[in-house]
Amino acid sequence: MGTIQFKALTFNYSDQTQPLFDHVTLQFDASWKLGLIGRNGRGKTTLLKLLQHQLPFDGQLVTNLDFQYFPQTVTEPTQLTRDILMQLGNLDNSTFWQVERELRLLQVAPEIVWQPFASLSPGEQTKMLLALLFIDDYHFQLIDEPTNHLDQEGRQVVANYLRQKAGFIVVSHDRHFLNQVIDHVLAINRADITVHQGNYQTWQTAHDQQAAYDQQLKGNIKRLTKTAQQKAQWSHEAEKGKNAASVKTESANLDKGFISHRAAKVMKRATTIANRAEEAIEAKQQLFKNVEIAAPLTINQRPLKPGQNVLSVDELVLQQDGVILNQPLSLTLEAGQQVALTGINGAGKSTLIKALLALPATDHITSSSLHP
Ligand SMILES: Nc1ncnc2c1ncn2[C@@H]1O[C@H](COP(=O)(O)OP(=O)(O)OP(=O)(O)O)[C@@H](O)[C@H]1O
Ligand SMILES: [Mg+2]
């Protein structure tokens, strides 16, 4: 299929003082299944835009491939899904079967293409747009966070689907998903972009080893810094001793040459050691610049009184446009408890959270009916 190569890629948005990418060199094969990983804001989406020449950059992109990007922009979501897919995929009635074939692989009933796009669930919309990518083999796919709106089952279906395809970069923060799908990792680090063979787990293992090594390195730097400070102190004291000797008595002056010579030797040695230590520290600190360190997550919580509940709802029923959305729900959330809210797409998880957020902040809430 060919290769994709960036040579000395340098890019920053106009309001950024530091380049997002600084002389990055990168090469990968167009038949690979790449997982693009990196912390939020590291530049994953930007890199996909650069590949499509949507943003001007310094350096060179060498490839003869055509790229397709997910999620495609749907400008008029009130239109029939089928019409939207035809426009986006440049298809007609005689070629639309290619989309239907992909939809079956994605376990979506092809009939729903007759519904307006806006009426589909976010998970269904995701699958519709994904189905368009692989209707032909000519493009290299840039798939930006396909798992965002998918429930657990949907993610599994898409993972199985992508595993059978090749020639794509997928961005996802879901490591389980990536482990099933990719055969290479493209990692945006603090100072460069690296390519690794294997899945997310392979990369994670290598990364953990690097982190352990860095920990060791930190200890070394600390020790070297202490040594450098000690040597600098010795050097300073030797210099002081030399000056003191030069103003002593005449008899002492007889020894001046000797003391001065000795002091100079000690000082020279101490200075050399201090310089060496500083060089070693500098070299080791350079190594650190490229290592991702996650800042600890802190949550500022209002302390609760003993026995006080975070949340208590009694017989909560949500209504929307007069339609009752759930069975009466009663729950108590105590301080320190961690609760997972699970449910299939469309079950009402976000609606419940929004309703809970809209509740007045009192110590104990009893409500029989809430309107989200
Ligand atoms: N149009 C823009 N104008 C100015 N700055 C931008 C623009 N788009 C993105 N950025 C900045 O560039 C950096 C990289 O953004 P980008 O969206 O590529 O990151 P990302 O890795 O895709 O993040 P995420 O994981 O949150 O999707 C961020 O600091 C972001 O704020
Ligand atoms: Mg992004």
Side-chain angles (χ1 to χ4, degrees):
M1 257 180 115
T3 57
I4 299 154
Q5 195 180 5
F6 269 121
K7 290 182 183 169
L9 165 68
T10 302
F11 173 81
N12 61 285
Y13 288 103
S14 54
D15 55 351
Q16 285 172 333
T17 48
Q18 294 284 325
L20 197 54
F21 303 118
D22 192 5
H23 290 86
V24 167
T25 292
L26 182 69
Q27 181 171 344
F28 51 90
D29 199 277
S31 65
W32 291 353
K33 307 157 186 245
L34 293 128
L36 177 55
I37 62 167
R39 307 262 300 273
N40 284 131
R42 201 49 95 206
K44 300 180 294 298
T45 299
T46 305
L47 188 71
L48 300 188
K49 285 185 180 162
L50 294 170
L51 280 166
Q52 297 168 84
H53 283 288
Q54 285 180 1
L55 297 163
F57 58 87
D58 287 336
Q60 224 184 330
L61 170 62
V62 187
T63 184
N64 54 5
L65 295 167
D66 284 331
F67 295 98
Q68 282 192 138
Y69 180 77
F70 166 95
Q72 304 88 328
T73 307
V74 176
T75 45
E76 288 183 62
T78 50
Q79 284 185 348
L80 277 191
T81 303
R82 186 182 161 91
D83 293 342
I84 289 172
L85 296 181
M86 277 192 184
Q87 282 160 26
L88 289 172
N90 214 4
L91 299 163
D92 56 31
N93 283 326
S94 67
T95 48
F96 193 74
W97 62 269
Q98 293 167 286
V99 178
E100 291 172 338
R101 178 194 64 207
E102 299 302 315
L103 285 176
R104 274 192 205 94
L105 293 173
L106 283 160
Q107 298 182 15
V108 187
E111 304 83 71
I112 63 170
V113 298
W114 296 103
Q115 291 180 28
F117 190 77
S119 73
L120 304 182
S121 76
E124 287 168 340
Q125 291 179 352
T126 294
K127 288 180 180 175
M128 288 292 152
L129 297 179
L130 278 175
L132 267 187
L133 296 181
F134 292 99
I135 53 175
D136 63 53
D137 295 334
Y138 315 126
H139 295 90
F140 186 86
Q141 315 300 340
L142 308 173
I143 312 170
D144 202 355
E145 308 215 27
T147 49
N148 275 357
H149 300 291
L150 297 171
D151 58 25
Q152 213 49 44
E153 205 184 317
R155 281 173 191 223
Q156 193 54 55
V157 170
V158 172
N160 294 343
Y161 177 73
L162 284 183
R163 200 171 32 223
Q164 292 159 33
K165 307 289 180 184
F168 59 81
I169 294 176
V170 63
V171 180
S172 176
H173 294 280
D174 181 339
R175 44 191 80 179
H176 178 62
F177 175 83
L178 287 178
N179 273 336
Q180 298 181 75
V181 166
I182 60 174
D183 57 21
H184 283 79
V185 169
L186 204 54
I188 306 191
N189 310 306
R190 276 155 88 182
D192 60 8
I193 305 178
T194 45
V195 184
H196 309 256
Q197 194 175 7
N199 63 13
Y200 186 87
Q201 187 56 50
T202 323
W203 175 85
Q204 180 76 60
T205 306
H207 184 266
D208 288 350
Q209 278 166 358
Q210 180 68 39
Y213 172 72
D214 289 344
Q215 219 29 49
Q216 214 181 346
L217 209 62
K218 263 189 192 163
N220 287 349
I221 289 179
K222 216 169 156 186
R223 257 200 330 277
L224 283 168
T225 309
K226 208 170 154 199
T227 312
Q229 281 164 352
Q230 246 171 23
K231 304 294 175 197
Q233 179 71 16
W234 290 353
S235 157
H236 181 65
E237 273 161 19
E239 175 73 358
K240 253 177 37 192
K242 181 181 144 192
N243 290 339
S246 69
V247 293
K248 278 205 174 151
T249 60
E250 203 173 299
S251 63
N253 271 343
L254 293 174
D255 293 336
K256 190 182 159 202
F258 173 70
I259 292 168
S260 177
H261 178 67
R262 210 175 124 249
K265 250 175 90 176
V266 171
M267 196 173 90
K268 191 163 171 238
R269 206 168 145 254
T271 313
T272 310
I273 294 172
N275 287 347
R276 235 186 263 151
E278 258 162 39
E279 273 167 29
I281 292 168
E282 175 63 21
K284 287 187 192 302
Q285 266 163 353
Q286 283 298 327
L287 290 174
F288 267 129
K289 288 190 180 150
N290 200 25
V291 178
E292 290 285 7
I293 301 157
L297 182 67
T298 54
I299 300 175
N300 292 323
Q301 282 180 318
R302 200 153 39 103
L304 291 166
K305 294 182 205 119
Q308 192 184 4
N309 290 329
V310 177
L311 179 75
S312 178
V313 287
D314 197 11
E315 302 274 304
L316 178 71
V317 176
L318 303 174
Q319 288 184 27
Q320 200 154 37
D321 302 328
V323 179
I324 291 178
L325 298 178
N326 66 302
Q327 300 287 328
L329 172 78
S330 299
L331 70 98
T332 303
L333 186 56
E334 291 165 15
Q337 272 188 336
Q338 291 154 349
V339 176
L341 178 59
T342 62
I344 57 165
N345 277 139
K349 300 179 291 296
S350 303
T351 309
L352 177 62
I353 295 282
K354 280 182 204 150
L356 292 176
L357 284 172
L359 290 173
T362 57
D363 275 0
H364 188 89
I365 297 149
T366 306
S367 175
S368 59
S369 179
L370 273 161
H371 299 262

